[in-house]
């Protein structure tokens, strides 16, 4: 692997919109917690312990959480349709009400409670609070044609002041991926992309995406070999071929490293204490994305 070159760009090279980079704050780590691992109480408790240990060791963790399984369960209970296009949840106004209720009223409260079992650290908020995240309606294309996915947002601006204030006071912000729109709408934002945008705005050292797979597979579904490390350019070339579930995760990683985050990692959250090991041991498992050109992506980089 050649030298890693960190880029700073106002316009998002992965096709996203402008997110203002912030000033460097040493030790800031944005962690996206999601997938089916969120419904396993043992893994949830281990994650909460990891986050507190990170904070106590001098790091500045920020948690952005998903809630797909819980949202699906509530939609089913209410007799509402669950549908995905291009890896994103089709969000009607009725669905949006359920998304807000589940994310901020249930999932966030449970996560905050588990973290605060170790001390008064976690504070819950959403992207709506203090206009932290502003979003616009996100277009989607499936098989070359545009698809209406409803109130799904793409973050176009982040004001990280409230998050920074909480970090400076020693707290652990726990953020639900719901954002305001300048059009008066409230948008459901994919948690991977919300975490990426927040990591760029905070000028974080690392973005960590916890999910329920081992990492980015080199040739799925024909092989379960995990790509251990690759550059932004190499990932950019792979995006069109990725499955819908992995696409937003890797798009978020790409946006993060091209926005100035030193590294982005996709880790298997089914492994106990995955986040702590992933942050402290940069040669560990999972897939790591770093800034760089195609020329940097040589043998041994995945």
């Amino acid at each position: 692997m050649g030298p890693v070159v960190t880029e700073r760009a106002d316009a998002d090279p992965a096709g996203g919109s402008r997110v203002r980079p912030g000033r460097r704050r040493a030790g800031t780590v944005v962690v996206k917690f999601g997938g089916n691992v969120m419904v396993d109480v043992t893994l949830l408790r281990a994650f909460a312990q990891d986050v507190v240990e990170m904070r106590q060791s001098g790091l500045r963790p920020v948690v952005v959480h998903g809630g797909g399984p819980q949202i699906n369960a509530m939609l089913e209970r209410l007799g509402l349709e669950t549908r995905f296009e291009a890896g994103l949840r089709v969000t009607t106004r009725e669905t949006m009400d359920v998304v807000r209720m589940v994310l901020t009223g249930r999932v966030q409260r449970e996560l905050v409670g588990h973290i605060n079992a170790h001390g008064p650290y976690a504070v819950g908020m959403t992207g709506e609070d203090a206009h932290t995240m502003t979003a616009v309606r996100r277009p989607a294309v499936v098989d070359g044609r545009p698809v209406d996915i409803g109130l799904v947002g793409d973050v176009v601006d982040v004001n990280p002041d409230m998050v920074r204030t909480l970090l400076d006071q020693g707290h652990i912000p726990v953020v639900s991926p719901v954002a305001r729109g300048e059009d008066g709408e409230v948008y459901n934002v994919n948690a991977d992309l919300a975490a990426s945008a927040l990591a760029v705005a905070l000028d974080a050292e690392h973005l960590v995406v916890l999910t329920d797979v081992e990492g980015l597979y080199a040739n799925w579904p024909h092989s379960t070999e995990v790509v251990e490390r690759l550059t932004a350019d190499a990932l950019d070339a792979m995006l069109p071929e990725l499955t819908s579930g992995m696409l937003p995760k890797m798009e978020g990683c790409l946006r993060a490293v091209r926005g100035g985050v030193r590294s982005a990692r996709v880790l298997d959250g089914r492994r106990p204490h995955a986040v702590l090991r992933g942050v402290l041991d940069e040669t560990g498992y999972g897939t790591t994305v770093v800034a760089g050109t195609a020329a940097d992506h040589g043998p041994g980089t995945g």
Side-chain angles (χ1 to χ4, degrees):
M1 179 105 184
V4 174
V5 179
T6 300
E7 298 177 3
R8 173 75 62 191
D10 290 337
D12 180 76
S17 302
R18 178 185 176 90
V19 176
R20 298 172 298 184
R23 59 190 182 278
R24 176 70 65 189
R25 290 297 187 105
T28 300
V29 180
V30 176
V31 182
K32 185 265 180 170
F33 185 55
N36 290 305
V37 296
M38 294 188 67
V39 299
D40 185 315
V41 176
T42 300
L43 293 173
L44 180 56
R45 288 173 177 166
F47 173 76
Q49 182 182 345
D50 282 1
V51 171
V52 172
E53 289 188 19
M54 288 168 61
R55 186 261 183 196
Q56 292 174 339
S57 70
L59 296 172
R60 294 159 57 95
V62 178
V63 178
V64 178
H65 68 86
Q70 295 91 334
I71 293 171
N72 291 343
M74 182 59 71
L75 289 172
E76 182 178 358
R77 184 183 304 176
L78 296 174
L80 299 175
E81 180 186 24
T82 296
R83 186 162 62 93
F84 289 83
E85 295 283 1
L88 300 171
R89 182 185 300 278
V90 177
T91 307
T92 64
R93 292 188 185 281
E94 202 170 19
T95 303
M96 188 67 227
D97 288 341
V98 175
V99 168
R100 294 174 84 183
M101 175 180 66
V102 172
L103 289 181
T104 63
R106 178 185 171 189
V107 178
Q108 183 193 92
R109 302 324 307 162
E110 289 180 355
L111 186 51
V112 166
H114 280 289
I115 294 173
N116 285 344
H118 301 276
Y121 303 124
V123 176
M125 60 178 291
T126 78
E128 294 179 79
D129 296 335
H131 292 182
T132 297
M133 293 184 185
T134 302
V136 297
R137 189 180 293 254
R138 179 184 173 95
V141 177
V142 177
D143 296 329
R145 59 183 180 86
V147 176
D148 182 9
I149 55 176
L151 296 174
V152 176
D154 207 3
V155 177
V156 292
D157 192 50
V158 178
N159 176 2
D161 290 349
M162 177 60 70
V163 178
R164 282 203 185 110
T165 296
L166 292 172
L167 289 171
D168 289 343
Q169 293 174 348
H171 293 299
I172 299 172
V174 178
V175 186
S176 299
V178 178
R180 63 180 286 273
E182 292 183 349
D183 56 2
E185 298 282 8
V186 177
Y187 288 99
N188 176 22
V189 178
N190 177 272
D192 302 302
L193 301 179
S196 174
L198 188 56
V200 172
L202 290 169
D203 216 354
E205 292 287 333
H206 304 287
L207 168 67
V208 178
V209 178
L210 290 181
T211 185
D212 46 13
V213 296
E214 295 173 294
L216 177 63
Y217 295 121
N219 188 25
W220 177 260
H222 306 291
S223 170
T224 57
E225 177 187 358
V226 174
V227 179
E228 294 182 1
R229 186 177 178 89
L230 75 168
T231 64
D233 278 7
L235 175 57
D236 200 1
M238 294 177 66
L239 282 183
E241 307 301 323
L242 297 183
T243 59
S244 59
M246 186 57 71
L247 180 58
K249 296 173 178 54
M250 301 315 300
E251 181 182 343
C253 289
L254 179 60
R255 291 186 183 192
V257 297
R258 283 190 166 169
V261 178
R262 186 157 67 89
S263 73
R265 306 197 70 191
V266 176
L267 301 177
D268 188 350
R270 298 169 301 181
R271 298 191 180 200
H273 305 292
V275 65
L276 197 61
R277 293 171 180 169
V279 170
L280 298 182
D281 181 10
E282 294 192 27
T283 62
Y285 55 88
T287 298
T288 300
V289 182
V290 296
T293 66
D296 296 325
H297 190 72
T301 62

